[in-house]
Amino acid sequence: MSAERAPVVVVGGGPIGLITALGLVSYGVPVVVLEAGSGLSTDTKAGTILTRTLEVLDRYGALGPVLEASLRIDEVGELDRATGQSTGSVLTAALAAETRFPFLLNIPQHELEPVLAEVLEHRAPGTLRFQHRLADFEQDEHGLTLRVSTSDGPITMAASHLLACDGGRSTVRERLGIEVSGHTLDQRYMLVDLVCDLDIGNPRDYPYLAYFGDRTEWMILVRQPHCWRFLFPLAAGAPEPSTEALRDKAHRFIGEVDELTVRGSNIYTLHHRVAASWQAGRAFLLGDAAHLITPMWALGLNTGVLDASNLPWRLAWVHRGWASPDLLRGYEAEQSPVAVHGSGEMAEAARAIMDRRLDPATGAGGWGEAMTRTLLGVRLDIDHTGDWSMARGSSTPTPIRVGERVPDLRVFAGRGPVTLHQLCRDSFLAVHLTDARRRPPIAADNPPGLRQALISRWDAPHDSGLRDRAYFDPGDTVRTRFGLDGDVVVLLRPDGHIAAIEPWTANATHTIQQRYLALVGLADHRPTEVTPCAATS
């Protein structure tokens, strides 16, 4: 089987493996997920999904069922444990103009995984294969050959690419001989799920996600769909608490309640460890296989989802013949600094705030704090200049920049509303902000994988020749939010990140075609020549 026809093989059926597979399916790329276990994990693990992950799930057609299974929250509480006083909440309502999903979700990982697996099975039956353990593999410039142990005996599989989503002890990473550097912390985390009534019989009115900082022992309280979750640190060498000790600790924190039952618990060993490289030929590392990050502020799983957002569209463009394999190199270049120096350092800062080694004051507050804590504020190093960021330092919206995720603003097509993220989810999209009345020359015929659209507060006249690619923007909201001077063209990637910003000229459509072809490694492709549209008499 040729590499072009062989599937992408994802190793690991955890949330990152499942979301990555859903992404590939959404782009029409054949994919197989190998899971060594006989079923999905039932361990008590991560429990909060950030807003950027919601947008990725929406792009991949999986958000609806996840929403149904989850608890939505619009406040991240920051409190002092000793006094019970707030030190400043993060209110996601500040993002109502930035995203269709201005909230977070609480759902335990062992409840999330079955939902994702069910969506994957519905979309691509037979993709997830249990009791399939990768034993070894070989690769060359044409593809990979995998040796897999199954319940029916060993088999051999062909793959176009191999994606390691198999966790911190990744078999793929080990076989590739990729070293991991970093450290393991002395402190561990204890996570316990408790069933108790804090709503009616014993109302506490805590935020659904609340961080109680304290020098001696901090605590995180999470309202899950069916229980309350507590997370607290364990000192180095401390034994695992008994069920009775966990009950006593909960009572000391929340006070006496009528009934309290321990539903499940887990102890985390904390790491800050990163793979030396994330790509070796046709094999890639994602999630914990690439980076183990202290799970504070929900940065563990959600940082892995950023990987699952970046790589699938690149693989799709290569599989479709729309890009050179060189496009795949951008995955590690963009995601590695975000995980290592962004999420990793942010998680360590969060630990220091909880321990009260840092001032609990929350930065810029308002819009900037909400953008940062939801991961909507991530700016990727798309220009390869070393300019990237995890945080927004302004309390109010700032002009857009290359590398940022574009705000998911609403415009109007011929028959109704649509958002920028919906318009670019399966293509690059060149957004021309200029006057529709002037019949700007905007190409309808473009290289594969690129669309061009006009957005204007002036609805395109029916005789303009632009109705099929023009969007009405009442009040010029897109131009206002973008905060850019003059007419511009903004190139959006399929993951919603801004690839380029250019001044608008009569030749802008030709210029953006050239920029797109250079980005996907096909600069020798001849772009379309465009002449201005003329009004009919």
Side-chain angles (χ1 to χ4, degrees):
M1 182 180 292
S2 69
E4 288 72 22
R5 296 182 60 194
V8 174
V9 173
V10 175
V11 181
I16 304 306
L18 294 171
I19 293 172
T20 300
L22 284 165
L24 292 167
V25 168
S26 73
Y27 292 122
V29 177
V31 58
V32 172
V33 180
L34 306 181
E35 169 53 45
S38 58
L40 299 172
S41 173
T42 59
D43 291 342
T44 304
K45 295 181 181 178
T48 297
I49 298 178
L50 301 180
T51 310
R52 183 54 178 153
T53 293
L54 303 185
E55 293 185 337
V56 174
L57 292 173
D58 177 65
R59 174 158 39 105
Y60 293 166
L63 181 57
V66 174
L67 288 176
E68 290 180 341
S70 305
L71 198 66
R72 286 167 275 211
I73 63 175
D74 68 351
E75 178 183 6
V76 180
E78 303 281 354
L79 303 100
D80 184 77
R81 182 174 178 183
T83 65
Q85 297 299 308
S86 172
T87 57
S89 289
V90 179
L91 301 176
T92 60
L95 306 175
E98 301 286 325
T99 177
R100 284 173 288 138
F101 315 108
F103 50 84
L104 314 181
L105 298 184
N106 284 342
I107 179 173
Q109 184 172 317
H110 65 273
E111 294 181 16
L112 171 65
E113 290 181 12
V115 175
L116 297 174
E118 184 175 353
V119 175
L120 182 60
E121 178 63 21
H122 176 74
R123 299 273 302 281
T127 294
L128 176 57
R129 303 180 186 180
F130 292 109
Q131 294 183 297
H132 279 61
R133 181 185 299 276
L134 179 68
D136 207 350
F137 61 90
E138 298 173 351
Q139 64 171 314
D140 56 31
E141 66 272 21
H142 303 296
L144 301 101
T145 301
L146 316 182
R147 288 182 284 280
V148 181
S149 299
T150 78
S151 56
D152 297 323
I155 62 172
T156 299
M157 297 179 62
S160 67
H161 297 85
L162 181 63
L163 309 187
C165 301
D166 51 347
R169 299 177 180 177
S170 169
T171 297
V172 176
R173 189 185 65 221
E174 178 187 344
R175 295 293 187 272
L176 291 171
I178 296 175
E179 295 185 356
V180 177
S181 62
H183 60 278
T184 298
L185 283 68
D186 292 333
Q187 193 180 63
R188 297 170 297 160
Y189 290 171
M190 182 81 197
L191 186 155
V192 55
D193 286 343
L194 301 171
V195 178
C196 57
D197 175 14
L198 302 183
D199 297 320
I200 301 175
N202 310 280
R204 295 295 190 268
D205 295 337
Y206 297 127
Y208 277 180
L209 177 58
Y211 291 81
F212 292 83
D214 187 75
R215 289 182 181 274
T216 304
E217 183 186 61
W218 50 261
M219 183 79 71
I220 301 174
L221 177 66
V222 185
R223 181 60 160 107
Q224 295 289 3
H226 306 106
C227 66
W228 289 89
R229 171 167 290 182
F230 290 73
L231 188 147
F232 55 89
L234 282 178
E240 180 177 350
S242 65
T243 299
E244 189 61 35
L246 291 174
R247 285 199 198 95
D248 291 343
K249 183 179 287 291
H251 282 303
R252 289 197 301 273
F253 178 66
I254 63 175
E256 290 301 318
V257 296
D258 296 336
E259 185 177 349
L260 187 152
T261 303
V262 177
R263 185 177 186 180
S265 63
N266 198 0
I267 294 179
Y268 288 96
T269 300
L270 305 180
H271 306 278
H272 188 90
R273 303 175 68 84
V274 181
S277 61
W278 297 15
Q279 178 184 1
R282 291 174 171 266
F284 296 82
L285 310 183
L286 296 85
D288 285 355
H291 47 80
L292 278 170
I293 295 169
T294 301
M296 289 292 289
W297 285 354
L299 290 168
L301 181 149
N302 290 278
T303 299
V305 174
L306 297 182
D307 302 340
S309 173
N310 197 312
L311 186 56
W313 71 265
R314 297 176 185 273
L315 288 167
W317 258 240
V318 173
H319 267 252
R320 295 170 179 176
W322 294 355
S324 159
D326 290 344
L327 180 67
L328 302 175
R329 296 177 184 170
Y331 162 68
E332 179 180 353
E334 293 176 4
Q335 294 304 131
S336 177
V338 167
V340 179
H341 302 294
S343 291
E345 292 178 8
M346 189 184 294
E348 288 303 303
R351 284 191 345 110
I353 290 172
M354 294 296 286
D355 289 338
R356 293 302 186 252
R357 290 177 283 120
L358 284 179
D359 189 327
T362 53
W367 176 86
E369 190 71 17
M371 290 287 286
T372 299
R373 292 286 291 273
T374 59
L375 294 185
L376 295 188
V378 171
R379 185 173 75 249
L380 301 176
D381 185 16
I382 288 176
D383 278 349
H384 310 298
T385 60
D387 186 14
W388 62 273
S389 178
M390 285 286 290
R392 296 295 177 92
S394 171
S395 60
T396 56
T398 54
I400 62 169
R401 295 179 57 184
V402 170
E404 292 178 352
R405 159 207 161 273
V406 72
D408 193 17
L409 304 173
R410 184 182 67 170
V411 293
F412 289 84
R415 297 196 173 194
V418 66
T419 70
L420 296 184
H421 287 196
Q422 292 170 329
L423 288 174
C424 70
R425 64 176 39 179
D426 194 29
S427 70
F428 278 72
L429 177 72
V431 174
H432 295 256
L433 293 181
T434 189
D435 192 334
R437 298 172 299 175
R438 308 297 181 237
R439 274 62 163 181
I442 296 174
D445 183 20
N446 291 286
L450 173 66
R451 292 178 56 232
Q452 304 208 42
L454 167 65
I455 294 181
S456 174
R457 66 173 288 245
W458 303 99
D459 200 9
H462 284 242
D463 60 357
S464 66
L466 292 167
R467 293 286 292 185
D468 63 336
R469 51 197 181 278
Y471 296 87
F472 176 45
D473 180 24
D476 236 4
T477 58
V478 174
R479 181 187 297 275
T480 300
R481 174 61 188 88
F482 279 14
L484 304 174
D485 294 332
D487 288 0
V488 295
V489 56
V490 179
L491 182 62
L492 308 181
R493 304 193 321 189
D495 58 5
H497 283 274
I498 299 166
I501 301 174
E502 302 278 356
W504 196 89
T505 68
N507 200 39
T509 189
H510 178 79
T511 300
I512 213 69
Q513 287 178 335
Q514 292 179 317
R515 173 63 72 95
Y516 166 73
L517 291 169
L519 285 170
V520 299
L522 298 178
D524 58 343
H525 184 97
R526 184 177 178 83
T528 305
E529 297 291 342
V530 181
T531 55
C533 300
T536 57
S537 58

